[in-house]
Amino acid sequence: MNDILPPESALWEWLEEKVRAVMHQWSYRNVRTPVLEHTGLFVRGLGEVTDIVEKEMYSFEDRADKQGDADHLSLRPEGTAGVVRAVSEHSYLYDGGKRLYYMAPMFRRERPQRGRYRQFHQVGAEALGFAGPEVDAEMILLAHELWQQIGLKDVTLQLNSLGQPEERQRHREALIAYFQANEDQLDEDAKRRLHSNPLRILDTKNPAMQELATQAPKLMEYLGDASLKHFEQVQAILQAQGVKWQINPRLVRGLDYYNLTVFEFVSEALGSQGTICGGGRYDYLIEQIGGKAAPAVGWAFGVERVLELVKEQQLVPAAKSPSVYAIVPDAAALPQAMALLTALRRMGVAAQLHTSADSAQGMGSFKSQFKRADASGAAWALVFGTDELARGEVALKPLRHAGEQVLYALSNIDALAARIQSPIAQ
Ligand code: ATP
Ligand code: MG
């Protein structure tokens, strides 16, 4: 679990602002759900035989109340289950489908390494109550647009269709027969999943089993007309916008709840933690967790992994600096200086007050204050000299471009603010 301090945190804010802007343009609205949910929600939602539920959740019992009933709770390992719970609890789809997004911390007890943490952050989008392939495509385009806005390069889209449950069932039988015929090549994990979740064997990270997984029966060959048509329409929409993809028949995603379209955005630059975003359609999840059946599509991306790419590709934005740094030679001028700063800030000026570490030492020398002003990155120093203040004036001095200092009347701070905000020093 990481602490995120400045200047690193500025990168997070930058990304969050991009996300908010794009979500607004695409009409996705913000949703916020609790960090804790009943453990049963994730067991029902994600499936019992998944990495997350089997070994990664932070689960505990809270204190028993008077009746002696403690709750079994878990820190959320992902966002979809909680959103779906909230949507059904509030009958939120009563008047039609909804588009939602979130940015939030998630918790999984995995082995920490680059791009894999125990508290990590996801941006997720969910479109609930829509059945058509255009929504699958919209979701993919939405994520793709985010990469464009961030400036990410070399992110590839992988697509697959998992079909419908009955199609999967027929494929599953073929898969079990195939793996049984090759049982001597299965690792322990695969043997355990052979009957509970054979599709997940295709998702194996064990190099010794790659060949076996590649040769396995393909789900695509078991899809009926409706599923194939859905998948083709998704691709036609992507094609019309020049978005490129690869079909990956082994893309099954780590969770049980998906059907029809599934997708991942992958980058080569991140090594084995290469998946930055994953998602798909989950038409049966809402019903599975006890809500009124409704189709849905969603995805989530890992903020840490995307920011790792941002740094790798040197897309880091310039640091934000204050516009003015207030130099106050004598502490007696502080009340007046701080009142003026408040007024300037209300007019949209970003202002930083000089502060001393040790009040017994006073405010510090003129020279040391200017040194701090320089280090702050501010374009201007605003000097609250005692003599000038007595005359009702304050001095504005450029720090990063040529020019003399200019005096402004305290009674006319509009002119002062206009000068600070003029393009000259931007
Ligand atoms: P992986 O195969 O890398 O474990 P996943 O399939 O478990 O990923 P999802 O549940 O689909 O991941 O979550 C969506 C995204 O969240 C991932 O693509 C990844 O960017 C990010 N993510 C998942 N787990 C972690 C983690 N432990 N630390 C940081 N980011 C993560
Ligand atoms: Mg995982």
Side-chain angles (χ1 to χ4, degrees), residues 82-105:
V83 170
V84 164
R85 178 203 48 72
V87 160
S88 77
E89 211 169 296
H90 298 275
S91 304
Y92 190 57
L93 303 179
Y94 79 99
D95 62 346
K98 297 288 188 308
R99 293 171 165 88
L100 300 172
Y101 82 93
Y102 56 84
M103 304 195 238

Side-chain angles (χ1 to χ4, degrees), residues 190-310:
K191 278 187 188 142
R192 202 165 40 80
R193 285 179 167 157
L194 182 57
H195 292 282
S196 57
N197 199 345
L199 200 61
R200 289 278 285 115
I201 303 178
L202 298 178
D203 198 23
T204 178
K205 286 178 176 137
N206 179 357
M209 284 184 41
Q210 296 301 314
E211 185 56 24
L212 188 67
T214 309
Q215 299 301 327
K218 305 274 180 295
L219 176 53
M220 203 65 79
E221 289 150 17
Y222 292 78
L223 299 191
D225 283 349
S227 294
L228 287 173
K229 220 175 125 221
H230 187 103
F231 197 39
E232 276 157 22
Q233 178 72 335
V234 172
Q235 294 174 74
I237 295 168
L238 298 180
Q239 171 110 47
Q241 305 198 21
V243 174
K244 306 234 174 345
W245 68 91
Q246 292 161 2
I247 303 278
N248 178 359
R250 288 185 47 197
L251 179 62
V252 295
R253 308 276 309 125
L255 309 174
D256 276 356
Y257 54 55
Y258 292 106
N259 68 304
L260 291 173
T261 320
V262 287
F263 54 90
E264 287 187 355
F265 287 91
V266 184
S267 163
E268 296 285 311
L270 295 176
S272 53
Q273 268 64 252
T275 304
I276 58 171
C277 177
R281 183 165 273 287
Y282 55 90
D283 293 337
Y284 306 100
L285 176 63
I286 304 183
E287 199 174 13
Q288 198 172 305
I289 69 150
K292 186 162 169 278
V297 199
W299 54 245
F301 79 73
V303 175
E304 285 83 356
R305 290 188 197 177
V306 166
L307 288 182
E308 192 71 38
L309 265 189
V310 164

Side-chain angles (χ1 to χ4, degrees), residues 51-58 77 107-110:
D51 283 348
I52 292 180
V53 170
E54 279 185 332
K55 51 193 185 206
E56 294 174 359
M57 281 210 294
Y58 286 95
F107 304 83
R108 297 183 192 176
R109 199 175 186 292
E110 304 196 68

Side-chain angles (χ1 to χ4, degrees), residues 9-281:
S9 55
L11 198 55
W12 285 70
E13 289 186 313
W14 169 81
L15 182 70
E16 287 160 6
E17 280 161 25
K18 297 247 177 230
V19 169
R20 284 199 186 94
V22 171
M23 293 298 178
H24 175 68
Q25 284 169 335
W26 290 63
S27 293
Y28 283 68
R29 306 274 175 258
N30 189 231
V31 58
R32 300 174 190 222
T33 64
V35 172
L36 286 175
E37 297 278 358
H38 283 114
T39 301
L41 173 70
F42 300 115
V43 177
R44 267 178 291 138
L46 312 187
E48 213 139 355
V49 195
T50 54
D51 283 348
I52 292 180
V53 170
E54 279 185 332
K55 51 193 185 206
E56 294 174 359
M57 281 210 294
Y58 286 95
S59 301
F60 64 98
E61 268 182 53
D62 70 356
R63 284 167 197 274
D65 58 22
K66 288 204 188 72
Q67 289 78 46
D69 294 329
D71 284 321
H72 295 265
L73 302 174
S74 294
L75 289 172
R76 64 176 167 216
E78 56 94 59
T80 304
V83 170
V84 164
R85 178 203 48 72
V87 160
S88 77
E89 211 169 296
H90 298 275
S91 304
Y92 190 57
L93 303 179
Y94 79 99
D95 62 346
K98 297 288 188 308
R99 293 171 165 88
L100 300 172
Y101 82 93
Y102 56 84
M103 304 195 238
M106 306 293 162
F107 304 83
R108 297 183 192 176
R109 199 175 186 292
E110 304 196 68
R111 192 170 68 78
Q113 51 197 293
R114 183 185 180 210
R116 195 175 291 287
Y117 309 101
R118 291 181 170 183
Q119 174 173 336
F120 63 102
H121 298 77
Q122 285 185 341
V123 170
E126 320 281 354
L128 306 120
F130 306 108
E134 67 278 8
V135 185
D136 310 36
E138 178 181 284
M139 276 271 153
I140 294 170
L141 293 168
L142 170 63
H144 180 264
E145 181 59 18
L146 276 164
W147 317 143
Q148 308 312 302
Q149 293 297 325
I150 295 166
L152 289 186
K153 295 177 289 282
D154 304 325
V155 176
T156 54
L157 168 61
Q158 302 198 347
L159 276 187
N160 193 19
S161 175
L162 299 181
Q164 297 292 9
E166 60 279 13
E167 294 157 352
R168 274 162 86 164
Q169 184 55 34
R170 283 192 287 123
H171 172 248
R172 182 192 149 99
E173 284 155 18
L175 211 53
I176 293 175
Y178 168 80
F179 284 128
Q180 263 171 343
N182 296 282
E183 200 152 2
D184 51 325
Q185 294 177 53
L186 299 182
D187 63 14
E188 283 311 307
D189 236 23
K191 278 187 188 142
R192 202 165 40 80
R193 285 179 167 157
L194 182 57
H195 292 282
S196 57
N197 199 345
L199 200 61
R200 289 278 285 115
I201 303 178
L202 298 178
D203 198 23
T204 178
K205 286 178 176 137
N206 179 357
M209 284 184 41
Q210 296 301 314
E211 185 56 24
L212 188 67
T214 309
Q215 299 301 327
K218 305 274 180 295
L219 176 53
M220 203 65 79
E221 289 150 17
Y222 292 78
L223 299 191
D225 283 349
S227 294
L228 287 173
K229 220 175 125 221
H230 187 103
F231 197 39
E232 276 157 22
Q233 178 72 335
V234 172
Q235 294 174 74
I237 295 168
L238 298 180
Q239 171 110 47
Q241 305 198 21
V243 174
K244 306 234 174 345
W245 68 91
Q246 292 161 2
I247 303 278
N248 178 359
R250 288 185 47 197
L251 179 62
V252 295
R253 308 276 309 125
L255 309 174
D256 276 356
Y257 54 55
Y258 292 106
N259 68 304
L260 291 173
T261 320
V262 287
F263 54 90
E264 287 187 355
F265 287 91
V266 184
S267 163
E268 296 285 311
L270 295 176
S272 53
Q273 268 64 252
T275 304
I276 58 171
C277 177
R281 183 165 273 287

